[in-house]
Amino acid sequence: MSTETTPATTKVAFLGLGHMGGPMAANLVRAGYEVLAYDPAPAAREQARADGATVVDAAAAATAEADLVITMLPNGRIVLDVYADVLSAAKPGTLFVDCSTIDVADAKQAAHLAVAAGHRALDAPVSGGVGGATAGTLTFMVGGPAEDFAAALPVLEVMGGKVVHCGGAGVGQAAKICNNMMLGISMIGLSEAIVLGEKLGLTHDKFYDVVSTASGQCWSLTSYCPVPGPVPTSPANNDYRPGFATALMTKDLGLAANALRDNGVEGRFGLLAAEIYDRFNRSAGDKDFSAIVTDIRNRSHRSSSEG
Ligand code: NAD
């Protein structure tokens, strides 16, 4: 790959054109990059073609032509399968950038496989959701060698508003799951406090008035309040339409729980948060993760009437 990563010098393969990958690839096309796109889903391929990407019939065909390969896939198993499929087709030194949210261990394994095959690799998971993917304002958390980060930066900046080099291989995924583990724990803690306040006669408005400037203040309350009213833009005001779906929070907490166990961390709140969201996810449908407050409220009513 040329040392300069510009639309004129860089062909990008984009594998995985779903809710996130589709609009991210479209932003690269708009910025002037030639994008070779692949997804097994016909509707995703159709949309990518309409967005101006060159759609190909196989991941390896896209990769063979590319200088930089971006993957945006559902899970680590699929990322590793795709890498096994495409690494031998790529030109030596191709830069692989995996933007999927996957296990830290899988991210390290993917980077190891790419490097062993003579390529370069970064993990670059994102936050910002479909809105950020569409607007090109995602936050990228990147793990891998500094020179590879520098090479990928112009491409990532097209899709992101903030790009942070977090450390070596897997450390981008580490930043993502650490943040989301804190978010899951804080949303549960806040929701328990709100329901306790309800039982004790504290209105949501008064709760917000006090806690938003007291030591219990947190992002879950002041930007994403899980009950309607105090923060008009929060999903609670829109029947908990995401936002950040419960299924995605459950997935990320599962990854955090794996990492806690793998690394022998005494992470009881993280493990419990994963368990609580896993249970809620079975009945949550497509609700935003902040709807956990409704589950806590329902279960509290049940246990007090049963008990
Ligand atoms: P998605 O299910 O909409 O898209 C995944 C796409 O990958 C699908 O179109 C699927 O057909 C495709 N795919 C499956 N196997 C493939 C293969 N072998 N080769 C090429 N493509 C293949 O999921 P999404 O919401 O776009 O999420 C993608 C990743 O981004 C996930 O890891 C997710 O955790 C992460 N993420 C999602 C969000 C969000 O708000 N949706 C936010 C941050 C991170």
Side-chain angles (χ1 to χ4, degrees), residues 16 18-20 38-40 72-74 82 101 126 129 176 248 251:
H19 291 99
M20 296 293 288
Y38 174 72
D39 191 297
M72 194 52 167
L73 299 165
V82 167
T101 305
V126 302
K176 166 96 186 173
L248 289 170
K251 173 190 170 178

Side-chain angles (χ1 to χ4, degrees), residues 14-24 38-42 44-45 59 71-76 78-79 81-82 85 98-102 125-131 133 138 173 176 180 243-245 248 251-252 255:
F14 211 113
L15 313 178
L17 307 161
H19 291 99
M20 296 293 288
M24 290 164 72
Y38 174 72
D39 191 297
R45 288 206 296 273
T71 40
M72 194 52 167
L73 299 165
N75 60 51
I78 295 177
V79 171
D81 285 350
V82 167
D85 179 32
D98 179 40
C99 297
S100 327
T101 305
I102 66 175
V126 302
S127 70
V130 176
L138 293 168
Q173 296 290 350
K176 166 96 186 173
N180 284 11
F244 185 42
L248 289 170
K251 173 190 170 178
D252 292 358
L255 298 176

Side-chain angles (χ1 to χ4, degrees), residues 280-292:
F280 177 48
N281 187 40
R282 288 179 218 151
S283 61
D286 63 357
K287 294 253 189 261
D288 185 81
F289 83 106
S290 60
I292 192 74

